[in-house]
């Protein structure tokens, strides 16, 4: 555990303010859920809660099936990082932070389909990987909240995403969103 040197008092309602610098660094926004843990030494640990992370194994299996069917790389993200990756992308993308552009698309609930060189094409992880030539992105909505995205990416220079890939990504996003509601 890393000490920050910041000390806060508990107010009369039992609240503690998480400093702005820490919220900014950890990308914690107003309304984000935090999970609370305790240990035997009396420590309280706050951890950002990822609803999609709860579906980690299931999301991984779904991504693998989608990658096998389409022949494309598939990533399932929450609002911070890649929680499942398949189609030769697992080692390269699993656990990576998403780009601010993808975060904005999720927040705005916007789907996107583009090829490299298009104005609409965005890197979907912070450290943009080379060799991605086409992408389809669909936000995952659960109980009215945008909680992540399904990304299909093509590595072939001749890759193009069609309406079929768009519909498959949208179906996956809706299905994962419904799973979160149960």
């Amino acid at each position: 555990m890393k000490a920050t040197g910041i000390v806060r008092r508990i107010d009369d309602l039992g609240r503690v303010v998480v400093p702005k610098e820490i919220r900014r660094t950890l990308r914690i926004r107003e309304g984000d859920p935090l999970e609370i843990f305790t240990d035997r030494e009396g420590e309280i640990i706050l951890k950002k809660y990822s609803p999609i992370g709860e579906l980690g194994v299931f999301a991984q299996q779904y991504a693998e099936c989608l990658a096998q069917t389409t022949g494309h790389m598939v990533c399932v993200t929450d609002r911070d990082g890649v929680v499942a990756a398949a189609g030769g992308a697992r080692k390269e993308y699993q656990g990576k932070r998403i780009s601010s552009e993808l975060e904005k698309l999720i927040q705005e609930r916007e789907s996107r389909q583009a090829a490299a060189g298009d104005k609409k094409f965005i890197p979907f992880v912070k450290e943009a990987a080379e060799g991605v030539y086409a992408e389809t992105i669909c936000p995952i909505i659960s109980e009215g909240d945008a909680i992540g995205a399904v990304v299909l990416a093509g590595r072939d220079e001749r890759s193009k995403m069609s309406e079929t890939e768009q519909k498959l990504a949208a179906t996956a996003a809706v299905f994962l969103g419904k799973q979160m509601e149960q």
Side-chain angles (χ1 to χ4, degrees):
M1 197 169 358
K2 186 176 163 186
T4 63
I6 300 170
V7 176
R8 298 289 180 170
R9 296 198 183 277
I10 297 175
D11 71 9
D12 58 339
L13 295 176
R15 297 176 297 196
V16 176
V17 175
V18 177
K20 188 176 188 175
E21 304 81 36
I22 292 174
R23 291 192 319 261
R24 186 180 307 125
T25 302
L26 298 178
R27 297 168 75 177
I28 297 171
R29 295 171 287 282
E30 183 179 330
D32 280 355
L34 297 175
E35 201 167 3
I36 302 169
F37 298 91
T38 60
D39 69 7
R40 292 183 182 163
E41 288 86 45
E43 294 177 323
I44 298 172
I45 301 156
L46 300 175
K47 182 180 175 190
K48 251 180 109 170
Y49 175 74
S50 167
I52 293 288
E54 294 290 311
L55 290 178
V57 173
F58 183 77
Q60 183 63 44
Q61 291 171 341
Y62 201 105
E64 287 170 3
C65 291
L66 199 53
Q68 188 176 14
T69 303
T70 64
H72 295 299
M73 294 184 310
V74 178
C75 293
V76 177
T77 75
D78 60 14
R79 291 180 58 184
D80 293 311
V82 176
V83 297
R90 188 168 190 165
K91 291 178 184 172
E92 197 173 345
Y93 292 103
Q94 187 79 35
K96 293 267 174 112
R97 289 193 111 170
I98 64 170
S99 67
S100 56
E101 295 94 341
L102 179 55
E103 189 177 351
K104 186 177 178 193
L105 276 181
I106 293 168
Q107 193 171 348
E108 294 175 354
R109 302 158 187 253
E110 186 180 329
S111 292
R112 176 154 307 172
Q113 193 163 1
D118 290 354
K119 290 180 183 178
K120 287 186 163 188
F121 188 83
I122 62 165
F124 54 91
V125 291
K126 216 169 189 134
E127 303 89 31
E130 302 212 3
V132 175
Y133 295 100
E135 65 188 7
T136 294
I137 301 169
C138 288
I140 300 170
I141 311 294
S142 178
E143 297 179 342
D145 295 328
I147 60 170
V150 174
V151 179
L152 272 66
R155 283 218 158 149
D156 184 353
E157 289 184 44
R158 298 177 305 271
S159 285
K160 283 189 178 179
M161 297 288 171
S162 69
E163 189 177 334
T164 302
E165 281 87 1
Q166 182 73 28
K167 287 186 178 189
L168 283 169
T171 301
V174 168
F175 186 76
L176 289 168
K178 293 285 184 198
Q179 288 298 305
M180 289 305 306
E181 292 173 5
Q182 294 180 2

